[in-house]
Amino acid sequence: VQLQASGGGLVQAGGSLSLSCAASGYFFRIEDMRWYRQAPGKGRELVAGITSSGSTNYEDSVKGRFTISRDNAKNTVWLQMNSLKPEDTAVYYCFAEVRVNRNYQYDYWGQGTQVTVSS
């Protein structure tokens, strides 16, 4: 199973970016999908998560600005980021709980994608 993330880049404060992450390989089903981020010198933090049924949760600082969504048929999760702030600058990682069969579930990470917000 592989997670391929894309969509990072450089944007001015107040701008928008959209990240996507697609899962590929052989598996039974993807359960929760999440986006994390890690800023320089800081630990990795949860930004947003979405269950297989579409329930979402967000870190407080991104509520109202970021939207997580997914397409189960395409095994893809997106993170729409609006009103970006310099403090959103970080490497963003997608994460998925992948059920490989009815009995086993594993965690997978995508490669990071850099988001840089200039002031």
Side-chain angles (χ1 to χ4, degrees), residues 60-72:
D60 284 346
S61 70
V62 308
K63 285 180 181 177
R65 301 188 297 120
F66 290 11
T67 302
I68 188 171
S69 60
R70 66 187 284 174
D71 184 328
N72 291 334

Side-chain angles (χ1 to χ4, degrees), residues 26-85:
Y26 295 99
F27 48 85
F28 182 64
R29 184 175 65 229
I30 297 178
E31 305 293 355
D32 290 4
M33 301 186 84
R34 304 177 195 138
W35 288 97
Y36 289 80
R37 67 185 178 187
Q38 187 165 16
K42 296 187 177 181
R44 192 169 296 189
E45 67 172 357
L46 175 64
V47 176
I50 185 167
T51 67
S52 57
S53 60
S55 296
T56 60
N57 64 282
Y58 296 92
E59 193 269 328
D60 284 346
S61 70
V62 308
K63 285 180 181 177
R65 301 188 297 120
F66 290 11
T67 302
I68 188 171
S69 60
R70 66 187 284 174
D71 184 328
N72 291 334
K74 295 180 179 179
N75 299 312
T76 300
V77 63
W78 293 274
L79 184 69
Q80 177 64 42
M81 305 182 292
N82 299 327
S83 302
L84 282 160
K85 303 176 181 180

